Each structure stands twice: as structure tokens, then as C-alpha cells.
Amino acid sequence: MSPVRPAADQAGEGTVLPHDNVVGDGSGDVATTEAQLPVVVSTSGEERRGEYGEDGENEGEETATVQGSKEGTEELLRKVVYSEEAAYKLYCDYGHRMGFSIRKGKQSYFTGTKRIRTKDYFCSKEGLKEGEKLTDANFNDPHTRTNCRAMVRFRVNDHGEWKVIRLVSDHNHNLARPEERHLLRSARSLIAGRSSSAEAMLYGGYQVQGGAPQLPAGSTSATNNVENSKQHLLRTGDLQGLVSYLKTRANEDGMFYWDVQLDQGGRMTNFFWRDGRSRIDYDCFSDVVVFDSTCRLSKQNLICAPFVGVNHHWQTTMYGCALLADESVSTFVWLFKSFLESMGNRHPRSIFTNLDQVVSKAIEEVFPNTCHRIAHWHIQKNAHSRLGALNVSKVFNKMFTKCIQGCDSEAEFEETWSQMIHEFKLQDNKWLKKLYKLKHKWCSALNKCTFDGGIEYEPQCDSMSNIFSSVADKLTSLSAIAVAVDKQSEDWREKELEEDTRCLQKPPACIIKHSDILNHAAKVYTHRIYKLFETDFLDGCGATKFKELPCDDNNTHQFEMTMQGRGSRVCTVLLNLSTMELSCSCSKFETMGLLCPHALKALSIKNICKIPENYILKRWTKDAKKWVFNPKQYESSYQECMDDDAAYCNYVMRYAYDLVTKSQGQDDLRKALWETLESGEKELEEYLGNGTQYAPSYAS
């Protein structure tokens, strides 16, 4: 054996040691790939070596040294692996079971080579952050390093076998509870590696065999008339590749849905797909949908049209995507019907689209009771190409923006629009004339009772077309585009998971620590929604003048509110103390689902220290995704399940899928779910055995 040499010089007191990679357990630790991140270590290099042992252990030593508890260490100590990646994964698995994230540490090499001799991995809370003091308040904060000593050391022999030779198993901080362990960052990277085929396909070069496309039974839809079909532009092999990818996804995901439209010649023209997670998200947040058909794939001469929404963290979430060969009414009617079918025929309350008459006609036919809105970002985008030199006028832009979303009433809108048209001599502008005729679909003042979930202000939505266009421009095959769309969806879900982690680990910090209503909001809302609530609370209580008006009813109080620095606009608030009903003329709760500054001011005036339950929208809370599929939560749904076989099967399958999704990648939760299913199966078998001699056959 060759003697070993350290990878880095020994560190002195307070020295910064480079680590190969960092995998944290929340927003406090940043995940990178092969990055050199400085970590301030509280002990000198000699002290650290003395604690963990020398790099050059006795050659004949086979038994690992364990410092601390041996609980749960059997597999880690016993297993032999054959690569650095496998060693990292082995310790990640151990950390996942125990409840901590890991970070990659230093390594040593055989002298004169780049062959690794020993490799260390640490708990992610190893070391101390420079300048940070440890206190009782921040010790278990996921952002805080606690100088935890937990670590493992692997040694590599001449045969390339990686074995654990030293393990420090005790931690100086709290470990994640079983229900939180899937949120650990290193655990999430493992789960993604196990379950996600989309990224592997995208970067591995997804290949399929040529030949005529074969569609599975039940996955096709025919249309009587698809005008101007562009099927001849698509190669058979390209279509087969897309179909093969969708079939693969359907085999992997029991709730995956896809559909294809055929023309009169039986040729495939349009595709739609969504995965099981999209169905779960739609069940939780189906009140608002954004449909964008502006992304054209120039290489394929197709349209990439995603359906998206906004989740409980005010982030973009994917509901499905389509690849369309044409923009006819019949195509969009087929697509919207396919989308509805995939979502259990549950209609959204509002749907936002681009300014397109064909899309509008299809929406009128398929979504007759859904409020159709034209997205503000699309109007602003079109204005740049339609209005020429006016775009550089600050006065015009200010008036135009006010017409879109700054007016408080229809009268104010009409006055502002008329002033803008006359001042800039735009009476003959055809685009503005067309826009004005559709004012009820885009003017905020005319949609004060329509819920939009703040989608117009969610920053990702206005760049959605750019996201999908940039993806498509780099790819040539349809299957690669579908994979890239799914990868984008996974990226959004990763961000959602990070926010879920933050919400589980600690409530948001209240700017006024002893405010009861802010503490209540911090307890129920997600972090991002809480910050919106907090801003409105501060505006209402710190920057709002009020005047109370007399009311005939002693339980009802009426206020006129004027916000400082916002002009002379007056909002009227009605508060009934017996029923705790609130209303404000600004209608923020009706559109956004959060109480406005004026309503919060009224609550403060009357010393009401909690948000009334009727004004806490579940879709914005930390529990937005809990109990969604348990019909006992809603009497009508439960009765429907008891009375209708199809409804019963639908609810049970979605309920089970949600539970399976939550348990993915977690051994303890998987075991618990299996035991629950086995117990339920035994009860059913006993009941069937006692109730009848022959159990009914579900195969017939």
C-alpha cells in the first residue's frame, strides 16, 4: 500500500476548509454540485484529525470504530460499495432514516495519484458560520450550524471497495421527525434520483425505435374536422418517439393521463398530457387556470400550450401541457374537453388566456360558467408591438396601466380611457378599439367579484411563454420537448417542496412579535402568503385614516377608510360583530382571498385579535393539501361516495394515490402504509367471508 497524503493542508483555528459539496436540510444550506464552499470550522485541523482519527488507519483493520449510539447503523457498517457516488448515497440513506442531511467533507489520496484513499461525510450542521452566535433560540433553526460532530469515514482498498472505518453517530441538535424526513434536502435528491425519469431522459438522449405509431386503447380521440392539418410536417419516427414517451410515463404513473386527436385520415395531430401530481394540484387549486397558447415551436411548426395555476405558496404549478398542430376552434374545443375529462370535469372559476378570438369561442363552448379573463401581461406584451412610439411615453404608459388595473370603478375607467384616447389622438387605433370592446375581460375595475388568486401579480406567469420557448428552441424532437416540459414542472415542484420545508420547520418571523392577529396569520398561512398579509396589516394599521359612520343595527359598524399617500380614494368597510361578516368596497378578499388593509384596520379598531374563520381561505394555508381526498370532510362528497360506485372508485383511487405520493422515498412511511393496507385487506376478507359464501368478482 502506498502512504496517503491529505487533500488539503491542515487548518488552523477559525480556518476556512473547502468542502466538495454541500447538501443542506432546508433553506439554510444551499445545495450545489461539485462546488467549493467555505465552511468555518471551530477546531484546528490537528484537533479535528485527533477526534476523527488519522487518515492512515492500520491496513489490517476491518472493524469500524463507532462513537455513539449504534442504533440503525447495521447496514451502513456492513455494506460494501464501489464508488464515491455509492458511498455518498449510502450515508444519505442512513441520514434519511435517522433524520439529518449530510455534507461532503475532505478526502485523501494515495500518494502520487488521484485515487481516493479516504473520504469523509459530515452532518450538514457541522462547523459554525462565521460571525454567528449560538443561542437557545436559533440552535435548532435549520439555517444554523451547531458544530455537530456526527460524521462517517470511508476507506478504499486496493480492490476498489469502499468500507466505513469510522462513524460518529450522535448529534448535538434535534433530528427531523419521521413525517419531516422526506423534506431533508439530501433525502430529496435521493428521491428525485430514484423516481424521476424525465431528467434522465432529457440529458441521457431519449431514443425510440422507428415504425408506425401504435396507440393504446382508450387513449385516442377523433375529430370530424381538423382544418389545414400540418401532420405531413411531422416525421413518423418523431411521433412514435412522443407516443413511446407518453406510454412510458403512463406505465410509471398510475394516474398519468394523455390524449391525442386524430384527423379524418386517422393521423395524429394534437397531443395533451398531464401526470398524477398535476391532478392532485388541480384538486387543491383549481380555482384559477392560466392557458398560454403563444409559444410557437418554429422547428416543428407546432404550438406548445401549457395549463398552469398558482399554489398555496403563490408559485406557479403545472396542470398539463399540449402540443397543437393548428389553432382552429375545433382543436381548442377538443383540448379543453380533454383537459376537463382528465381533471374529473371540474371547471375552474377563472381562466386567463392571451387575446385570441378562437380561444374565446372554444372557452364559451366548453367553460360556459367560468369567468374568462385576458391576461394583463399579454396585453402589455402586445402593446409594445401595436403602439409603436407611444411605448416610450411615461404619461401614456401610466394611463394605460391605470386603465388595466388601477381604476376603482367603471366610471373611473371610462374617464381615464377617454382621456387617454383624446390626449394621444388614438381614436382610429384598431387594436385599442378591439381591446376596448373586450374591456370586461381584462379591466380590474369590472372584475371586482371574480377570484383570480393574484395570478396577474405572480412574477413567473408573465415569463411563462419565454420559459417554454427557450426550452423548445434548443430541442428538435417532440419527445425531447415533452421531457423538457415535464422537467420544468419538476423544477417548480422542487421550489414548492423547499417552501413546504420552511413552513414545517418554523413559522415566519412576525415584524410585531406580540401582535395576536399577526401570530395567528403566521400560524395558518404559508410564509409567502403571510408576508403579503403582514404588509396589508401594516398598511392598514399604520397608514390608514378612518371615520366611523352611524348604523341602524347596533351589531354593524361602517367605516370610511383613506390610505395615506394613495390619493383621496375612500373605501367603505362593513363589519358585523355578531356574525363576524366583513366586506370592503375594494373587494380584495373576493379577488385574492386575503383581507385588505381596510378590513384589517376595522378589526383592529374593534379589538378583534384573530382572523375570522370565514376569511381564511384554505388554498393559502399550510394545510392546503391536507385531507383533500377524504370525503368525510364534506357531507355532500361523502354521501356521493356512498351512493355512486363510480364516485366511490374515483375518490378512493385519488386518496390512495395521494398517500402513496407522500410516502415515496421514506422507508418508515412506506412500511406504515403497507401495514395499513394489509390490515384493511384482512378486515375486508373477514367481512366478505362472514357476509356471503362467495365474494363478488371484480374481474367480471
Side-chain angles (χ1 to χ4, degrees):
M1 290 284 183
S2 304
V4 298
R5 60 179 174 81
D9 294 336
Q10 298 176 352
E13 184 71 31
T15 303
V16 175
L17 290 180
H19 284 231
D20 296 323
N21 193 12
V22 179
V23 182
D25 57 354
S27 55
D29 293 313
V30 180
T32 61
T33 303
E34 295 303 320
Q36 299 296 316
L37 299 182
V39 178
V40 177
V41 182
S42 61
T43 57
S44 69
E46 292 295 339
E47 291 169 336
R48 181 71 65 163
R49 283 179 172 276
E51 181 181 353
Y52 293 148
E54 292 298 324
D55 287 339
E57 270 80 3
N58 296 330
E59 296 298 337
E61 183 182 354
E62 294 294 336
T63 303
T65 302
V66 180
Q67 179 180 330
S69 171
K70 293 186 178 181
E71 180 183 357
T73 64
E74 293 81 4
E75 182 180 2
L76 178 64
L77 298 175
R78 172 179 50 82
K79 194 166 185 178
V80 177
V81 294
Y82 295 89
S83 67
E84 181 181 359
E85 181 182 7
Y88 169 70
K89 179 181 178 298
L90 181 61
Y91 194 50
C92 273
D93 281 332
Y94 168 75
H96 186 200
R97 292 195 301 272
M98 304 308 295
F100 67 96
S101 279
I102 74 169
R103 85 175 47 254
K104 292 183 179 180
K106 60 187 178 63
Q107 59 201 32
S108 63
Y109 302 92
F110 287 99
T111 302
T113 74
K114 282 294 183 179
R115 288 176 52 212
I116 294 177
R117 180 69 175 92
T118 65
K119 178 72 178 182
D120 292 349
Y121 299 97
F122 301 104
C123 170
S124 64
K125 294 174 79 70
E126 179 261 355
L128 292 172
K129 289 183 180 178
E130 187 174 9
E132 182 176 44
K133 295 182 179 180
L134 292 179
T135 65
D136 291 339
N138 72 5
F139 196 83
N140 287 301
D141 190 309
H143 298 75
T144 305
R145 302 274 182 84
T146 62
N147 206 20
C148 181
R149 307 295 192 186
M151 60 84 66
V152 70
R153 173 168 296 163
F154 286 88
R155 186 176 63 189
V156 189
N157 63 20
D158 281 342
H159 305 293
E161 298 175 336
W162 290 61
K163 297 180 181 179
V164 173
I165 60 170
R166 181 171 296 276
L167 175 68
V168 180
S169 60
D170 289 343
H171 298 257
N172 68 349
H173 55 88
N174 291 341
L175 299 178
R177 297 188 296 271
E179 64 270 21
E180 299 173 346
R181 289 173 187 169
H182 66 292
L183 299 174
L184 296 169
R185 186 176 290 271
S186 55
R188 297 207 304 270
S189 65
L190 285 174
I191 294 169
R194 292 170 181 155
S195 62
S196 172
S197 60
E199 187 168 3
M201 288 180 176
L202 177 60
Y203 296 111
Y206 186 76
Q207 300 292 330
V208 298
Q209 299 299 320
Q214 300 295 321
L215 300 178
S219 67
T220 65
S221 294
T223 179
N224 291 327
N225 181 28
V226 178
E227 300 175 359
N228 193 26
S229 172
K230 301 171 185 175
Q231 177 65 29
H232 62 281
L233 297 175
L234 302 175
R235 300 187 307 274
T236 300
D238 206 15
L239 288 171
Q240 178 62 45
L242 178 58
V243 170
S244 297
Y245 171 70
L246 297 177
K247 289 170 66 176
T248 299
R249 292 297 314 277
N251 288 332
E252 294 173 344
D253 182 345
M255 281 184 62
F256 189 89
Y257 177 99
W258 65 285
D259 198 2
V260 57
Q261 186 184 33
L262 307 180
D263 65 8
Q264 289 180 319
R267 296 168 298 188
M268 294 180 287
T269 57
N270 303 307
F271 290 84
F272 168 75
W273 73 95
R274 65 113 180 103
D275 62 13
R277 173 67 184 276
S278 291
R279 174 64 192 271
I280 300 297
D281 288 339
Y282 186 80
D283 284 335
C284 298
F285 312 113
S286 61
D287 39 22
V288 179
V289 170
V290 178
F291 174 68
D292 182 8
S293 59
T294 62
C295 175
R296 180 168 292 280
L297 312 178
S298 56
K299 294 179 181 178
Q300 296 80 13
N301 201 21
L302 294 173
I303 297 164
C304 180
F307 293 86
V308 303
V310 60
N311 66 15
H312 54 318
H313 300 295
W314 212 34
Q315 298 170 317
T316 305
T317 187
M318 178 71 77
Y319 294 147
C321 191
L323 292 175
L324 307 175
D326 71 280
E327 299 173 86
S328 64
V329 174
S330 61
T331 289
F332 287 117
V333 167
W334 167 83
L335 175 59
F336 293 152
K337 286 182 177 179
S338 183
F339 173 79
L340 271 184
E341 179 184 330
S342 77
M343 299 303 187
N345 290 310
R346 186 173 183 174
H347 291 238
R349 292 168 62 181
S350 303
I351 184 167
F352 287 79
T353 72
N354 49 298
L355 183 58
D356 190 315
Q357 188 176 1
V358 174
V359 172
S360 296
K361 288 181 179 179
I363 287 175
E364 289 174 7
E365 180 175 340
V366 183
F367 301 105
N369 299 317
T370 296
C371 178
H372 177 208
R373 302 277 300 276
I374 298 171
H376 292 170
W377 59 265
H378 181 74
I379 294 175
Q380 296 281 14
K381 183 178 179 180
N382 269 8
H384 286 289
S385 59
R386 300 279 187 168
L387 299 177
L390 283 174
N391 289 298
V392 300
S393 170
K394 292 183 179 179
V395 176
F396 172 81
N397 282 318
K398 184 177 180 180
M399 296 178 74
F400 189 55
T401 301
K402 182 180 179 181
C403 289
I404 294 174
Q405 58 188 28
C407 294
D408 194 46
S409 65
E410 184 173 3
E412 184 180 2
F413 163 75
E414 294 291 354
E415 181 183 351
T416 306
W417 183 270
S418 178
Q419 182 183 351
M420 178 186 74
I421 294 297
H422 285 88
E423 184 171 335
F424 292 94
K425 298 179 175 59
L426 297 170
Q427 291 85 350
D428 297 327
N429 188 288
K430 293 181 180 180
W431 184 74
L432 288 176
K433 283 183 177 181
K434 178 182 178 182
L435 194 63
Y436 179 77
K437 290 179 180 179
L438 299 172
K439 61 185 177 181
H440 60 285
K441 290 188 176 183
W442 54 264
C443 176
S444 296
L446 306 182
N447 288 278
K448 298 185 72 173
C449 294
T450 304
F451 185 82
D452 60 29
I455 199 80
E456 296 284 18
Y457 306 98
E458 208 292 309
Q460 291 190 73
C461 286
D462 60 357
S463 60
M464 192 166 52
S465 181
N466 294 334
I467 290 173
F468 288 100
S469 295
S470 63
V471 166
D473 286 345
K474 301 174 184 177
L475 304 169
T476 56
S477 72
L478 297 181
S479 57
I481 291 170
V483 170
V485 169
D486 289 347
K487 175 61 171 58
Q488 178 63 60
S489 180
E490 289 181 11
D491 290 344
W492 286 341
R493 289 166 184 170
E494 178 70 16
K495 292 178 181 178
E496 178 183 337
L497 200 55
E498 290 173 359
E499 284 299 305
D500 285 340
T501 305
R502 281 212 305 157
C503 290
L504 274 176
Q505 288 169 340
K506 58 183 291 189
C510 297
I511 196 167
I512 304 175
K513 294 184 179 179
H514 302 295
S515 167
D516 290 338
I517 198 167
L518 284 184
N519 281 306
H520 183 211
K523 183 178 180 181
V524 297
Y525 288 132
T526 60
H527 281 229
R528 197 170 179 191
I529 298 303
Y530 168 77
K531 286 302 178 184
L532 298 177
F533 180 92
E534 184 182 72
T535 299
D536 283 346
F537 176 80
L538 295 176
D539 281 347
C541 294
T544 303
K545 300 177 181 178
F546 77 94
K547 179 172 70 173
E548 185 167 0
L549 305 177
C551 293
D552 296 335
D553 182 0
N554 292 331
N555 289 319
T556 302
H557 299 268
Q558 183 175 355
F559 303 92
E560 287 186 347
M561 304 284 188
T562 306
M563 295 192 69
Q564 300 172 21
R566 309 284 178 90
S568 58
R569 179 175 299 174
V570 176
C571 290
T572 302
V573 178
L574 289 173
L575 169 61
N576 188 306
L577 294 179
S578 62
T579 62
M580 291 309 297
E581 291 184 359
L582 264 170
S583 67
C584 180
S585 59
C586 77
S587 300
K588 178 168 183 174
F589 182 79
E590 287 75 13
T591 58
M592 179 66 180
L594 292 173
L595 289 177
C596 62
H598 321 105
L600 293 173
K601 177 70 171 182
L603 293 177
S604 178
I605 293 169
K606 293 302 177 182
N607 296 316
I608 298 171
C609 300
K610 291 188 71 175
I611 308 167
E613 287 188 12
N614 290 342
Y615 298 94
I616 300 176
L617 215 60
K618 185 182 178 184
R619 65 117 54 238
W620 296 131
T621 68
K622 298 172 185 176
D623 294 335
K625 289 191 170 184
K626 290 185 179 179
W627 309 109
V628 176
F629 307 105
N630 186 346
K632 289 186 178 181
Q633 297 294 308
Y634 309 98
E635 185 62 32
S636 59
S637 298
Y638 183 68
Q639 194 59 46
E640 182 185 13
C641 285
M642 294 298 100
D643 296 341
D644 185 87
D645 289 344
Y648 169 75
C649 289
N650 190 23
Y651 264 100
V652 170
M653 286 190 293
R654 284 153 58 204
Y655 200 174
Y657 183 90
D658 188 43
L659 295 176
V660 170
T661 301
K662 289 177 179 177
S663 68
Q664 263 188 333
Q666 305 171 71
D667 293 339
D668 293 342
L669 292 183
R670 284 182 175 182
K671 183 179 178 181
L673 185 56
W674 275 121
E675 291 174 351
T676 302
L677 293 173
E678 289 170 355
S679 175
E681 184 181 26
K682 289 178 181 178
E683 289 189 26
L684 286 175
E685 292 294 344
E686 290 175 5
Y687 179 83
L688 292 172
N690 294 332
T692 179
Q693 184 178 359
Y694 300 103
S697 172
Y698 292 98
S700 58

